[in-house]
Amino acid sequence: MQTHIQADSHGGWLARCSAVLAKGESFVIGALMVSIFGLLMLNVISRAMGQPVIWVDELAVYLMIWVALVGASLALAKREHLAVTLVPDLLQPTGRRMLSRMVDLLLFVFFLILSAILWRWFDPLTLLRAGSVTAFTRETFNFLYQEPTVTLGVSKIWFWLILPIFCLTGLIHTAAHLMRAGQGAS
Amino acid sequence: MIAAGSFFAFLAAGVPISFALILLALVYIAVTGNWILLQSFPQQFFGGMENYGLLALPLFILLGEFMNAGGIGRRLMTLALAMLGQMRGGLAYVNLVANMMMASILGSTVAQITIMSRIAVPEMERAGYPKDVSVAITAAGGLLAPIIPPSMMFIIFGVIAQLPIGDLFIAGIVPGVMMFTGFVLVVMYLGRKHSFPATPPMALRERGRAVWNALPAALIPIVIVGTILGGIATPTEAAAIAAAAAAFIGLFIYREMTWRQILPAFVSAGKGSAVVLFLIAAAQVFSWVITFENLPAMVAAWMQSLTTSPVVFLLMLNVLLLLLGMVVDPIPAIILIVPVFLPVAQGVYGIDPFQFGVIICLNLTLGLLTPPVGTGLFTAALMSGVRAERIARLIMPFLLSITLVLILLAFFPSLSIALKDAL
């Protein structure tokens, strides 16, 4: 009984967290889309005036990738990703629920694996120990923190940061699905 | 083998297709013990979306959102009515012509069926057309969206096949017109079978007003096609300009859109494109893995043992695509098929990539209207209240006419290539 209540409140907390996060993600997507639109219009107008701004296209593409990953996380929360539903549709409700729970679990495990991959890629502990980006690169031959953008004049790492953010929000949304499903079962 | 098996198991279980593709890559790495690949995994994934052409996608979706809110669709329908005049089954042709105009603005079947079901079906019903037949014509008309430029599917095919999207748009024009002609013939047949009513007469004055009202709306397709063909704007910028124009027309000329609708349109366009963009990133990881597996070479060897004729290859591909399209949505289907079959088509059979792309896109749209997984079919059913099974039966003649177009496209490459080369 005790564990039941604990599970309930835990699922509730996560579910609320996922819902708040989803709202925030919606807002970020809107802001990014407005920026992309603005950048492209700037490009059209500045070129028509004979003074093209060269960095616009690259920035717009990176912002689009942010839209894609923030939106992909949101679509997880709302279960809006494209899937083949042929088999689930053939099943009885109980079977369908079980299958859907397995899919949720698989996605949660995927995000755990992705965390591990990203942790190794960004290697933050070695970076801290090395003290500087140059020292880190010399030590690991991992040029991740020094990769430049073509026209923006900043390091690409700032745009790559969306990957760990996506991983974290994905973990929260999939965990919330699992918790909600657990509640339904009990 | 294990990797492929797990992939199909994931798909069947209902794992989102994008995640199934990424998981396939991970399973492949695990099975082959190539752990070093994991180091470049995040970069491959991010890099899969670093493509300027892809930017056209969110902007065309945004354009659709503005069109939907701004009342542009209804004006185009009235314009078609004014242009066609009084004839038997007039509204059915009006439906097709309006769909053709809408297709030159929108790139997605589902978006188009959603808008047109709301505009055209009630109008036809009021004029005395059987409702189910009206819905079937509207659903079929939606299939023009992915073929008449701008087309979402061509954008995605262009990104994966690394072909200029503007040229692909032009390649789609002749097949799109052929498809439209086929539909007109089917409507003629249906009109005789169901004895469609004639359009009520329209006074010259009224006709003039309809044309005048629709002028701003009709400008949008002209802006898109004109700026791309004239080399003034890239397809991406053309979409942005058209979206700005649609918002302006909706806000200030037709006054059907309010400022409050602007931000939600951006959010909804962002959400819609995110799912597709994410799928494309996943596809990048998928094609990266299949190059290690050398799947295209295996398929090539197998296909060569079956036939050496490009036409037979294309016909076989069509059958495969039809089956695939029945269970998978067109966009993921393109993503699965192109990296494997395009190298085979080009390398082994010498097929022009534009011809290949047009056939693939046209064929896969059929799947939108075929059960068991037809997004367009279910959208039409949902919007109209007519049973999906009934619509599926009624659209058969339309689907047959597309099949005929597909066969012609397989036999005559110039249908897809000539216009692009001429311009």
Side-chain angles (χ1 to χ4, degrees):
Chain A
M1 195 65 203
Q2 192 65 32
T3 50
H4 182 176
I5 292 169
Q6 257 178 2
D8 252 350
S9 61
H10 196 57
W13 171 79
L14 252 181
R16 265 199 307 280
C17 192
S18 156
V20 170
L21 186 62
K23 268 207 192 103
E25 284 171 335
S26 259
F27 179 79
V28 172
I29 291 170
L32 288 169
M33 284 293 290
V34 172
S35 317
I36 292 172
F37 179 71
L39 283 172
L40 287 172
M41 291 315 281
L42 173 71
N43 208 12
V44 172
I45 294 165
S46 65
R47 206 179 40 210
M49 294 187 341
Q51 287 173 319
V53 190
I54 48 156
W55 48 264
V56 165
D57 286 347
E58 195 182 15
L59 183 59
V61 168
Y62 287 137
L63 294 187
M64 172 188 74
I65 299 177
W66 278 59
V67 169
L69 290 171
V70 178
S73 158
L74 181 61
L76 270 174
K78 310 220 166 206
R79 300 187 185 278
E80 280 170 355
H81 278 287
L82 292 171
V84 181
T85 54
L86 190 62
V87 175
D89 287 348
L90 290 175
L91 293 176
Q92 297 292 320
T94 340
R96 200 181 309 158
R97 234 186 343 254
M98 272 174 57
L99 198 59
S100 149
R101 219 164 287 167
M102 271 163 59
V103 170
D104 284 341
L105 185 66
L106 184 72
L107 290 176
F108 181 70
V109 172
F110 162 74
F111 278 104
L112 287 180
I113 297 171
L114 184 63
S115 323
I117 295 174
L118 289 174
W119 181 265
R120 283 194 47 182
W121 194 47
F122 282 94
D123 205 359
L125 290 184
T126 314
L127 177 66
L128 270 180
R129 223 178 315 118
S132 77
V133 166
T134 344
F136 171 84
T137 311
R138 207 169 27 224
E139 199 177 305
T140 59
F141 287 104
N142 183 347
F143 288 89
L144 153 98
Y145 290 99
Q146 286 190 323
E147 176 112 1
T149 50
V150 184
T151 55
L152 290 168
V154 293
S155 179
K156 208 167 164 184
I157 185 76
W158 299 111
F159 299 104
W160 276 334
L161 278 181
I162 190 62
L163 289 168
I165 296 174
F166 166 68
C167 187
L168 187 68
T169 56
L171 270 176
I172 294 174
H173 289 315
T174 46
H177 279 320
L178 280 177
M179 285 300 168
R180 235 175 264 134
Q183 269 174 34
S186 55
Chain B
M1 206 56 214
I2 299 172
S6 65
F7 175 63
F8 287 114
F10 292 151
L11 272 192
V15 173
I17 300 169
S18 43
F19 286 93
L21 287 166
I22 303 171
L23 285 165
L24 163 68
L26 292 179
V27 171
Y28 173 78
I29 290 172
V31 169
T32 54
N34 245 333
W35 299 106
I36 192 81
L37 291 181
L38 280 183
Q39 269 299 329
S40 43
F41 185 86
Q43 231 163 330
Q44 284 291 336
F45 183 72
F46 190 93
M49 290 181 281
E50 275 181 66
N51 186 310
Y52 179 76
L54 267 186
L55 258 179
L57 204 81
L59 286 150
F60 274 117
I61 297 180
L62 181 69
L63 170 62
E65 294 285 336
F66 285 152
M67 289 261 312
N68 199 4
I72 290 173
R74 198 152 44 79
R75 263 73 175 201
L76 290 179
M77 175 95 181
T78 329
L79 174 66
L81 192 63
M83 275 166 36
L84 281 184
Q86 210 179 344
M87 57 198 283
R88 170 178 286 281
L91 270 183
Y93 299 106
V94 166
N95 187 336
L96 287 183
V97 174
N99 260 308
M100 186 82 169
M101 293 186 210
M102 294 282 284
S104 63
I105 303 176
L106 295 174
S108 135
T109 297
V110 174
Q112 187 156 323
I113 292 178
T114 311
I115 298 179
M116 289 304 286
S117 303
R118 234 177 279 156
I119 305 168
V121 175
E123 194 87 17
M124 289 175 77
E125 221 186 334
R126 217 171 306 139
Y129 289 77
K131 184 173 184 182
D132 47 3
V133 181
S134 317
V135 175
I137 296 173
T138 310
L143 292 187
L144 291 165
I147 303 305
I148 301 289
S151 145
M152 214 105 88
M153 286 167 82
F154 283 155
I155 296 175
I156 290 162
F157 176 75
V159 167
I160 298 177
Q162 297 177 346
L163 294 174
I165 289 156
D167 286 356
L168 268 168
F169 280 178
I170 300 168
I173 293 177
V174 173
V177 171
M178 286 168 67
M179 203 166 138
F180 176 76
T181 316
F183 285 1
V184 167
L185 294 176
V186 174
V187 166
M188 274 167 77
Y189 156 79
L190 286 179
R192 209 165 292 161
K193 190 173 161 201
H194 298 274
S195 50
F196 284 164
T199 350
M202 201 173 181
L204 198 64
R205 228 185 123 86
E206 212 180 321
R207 218 172 274 236
R209 193 177 321 131
V211 174
W212 176 250
N213 279 340
L215 269 185
L219 262 176
I220 292 179
I222 297 171
V223 166
I224 296 176
V225 179
T227 49
I228 297 176
L229 289 189
I232 300 165
T234 61
T236 309
E237 289 163 353
I241 298 170
F248 181 83
I249 293 167
L251 281 171
F252 300 112
I253 301 182
Y254 294 156
R255 299 186 183 184
E256 285 193 18
M257 194 158 94
T258 60
W259 284 99
R260 276 170 176 234
Q261 285 171 292
I262 298 271
L263 201 60
F266 274 103
V267 175
S268 144
K271 282 191 205 167
S273 25
V275 172
V276 179
L277 291 169
F278 187 72
L279 194 57
I280 291 168
Q284 188 68 25
V285 179
F286 167 72
S287 11
W288 175 57
V289 166
I290 62 167
T291 37
F292 283 102
E293 192 82 311
N294 218 356
L295 196 57
M298 275 151 52
V299 172
W302 175 64
M303 291 300 287
Q304 261 174 319
S305 70
L306 293 177
T307 177
T308 49
S309 143
V311 174
V312 177
F313 165 77
L314 281 177
L315 293 178
M316 285 186 345
L317 182 71
N318 268 314
V319 175
L320 174 75
L321 290 170
L322 272 178
L323 295 175
L324 186 71
M326 285 173 110
V327 284
V328 185
D329 268 337
I331 290 172
I334 287 193
I335 285 171
L336 293 175
I337 285 288
V338 174
V340 182
F341 282 90
L342 182 62
V344 180
Q346 266 185 295
V348 178
Y349 296 98
I351 292 166
D352 186 279
F354 287 91
Q355 183 193 10
F356 181 83
V358 169
I359 289 179
I360 284 221
C361 294
L362 186 57
N363 186 311
L364 289 173
T365 55
L366 282 173
L368 284 168
L369 291 186
T370 48
V373 187
T375 329
L377 179 67
F378 294 116
T379 310
L382 194 73
M383 299 296 301
S384 63
V386 177
R387 286 171 60 83
E389 293 87 336
R390 177 86 193 132
I391 307 176
R393 197 156 338 126
L394 285 167
I395 51 171
M396 278 315 285
F398 290 102
L399 301 190
L400 276 177
S401 79
I402 300 183
T403 314
L404 205 65
V405 173
L406 278 171
I407 294 172
L408 289 173
L409 288 177
F411 274 98
F412 306 105
S414 57
L415 290 172
S416 340
I417 306 165
L419 187 61
K420 165 189 74 76
D421 290 344
L423 280 173

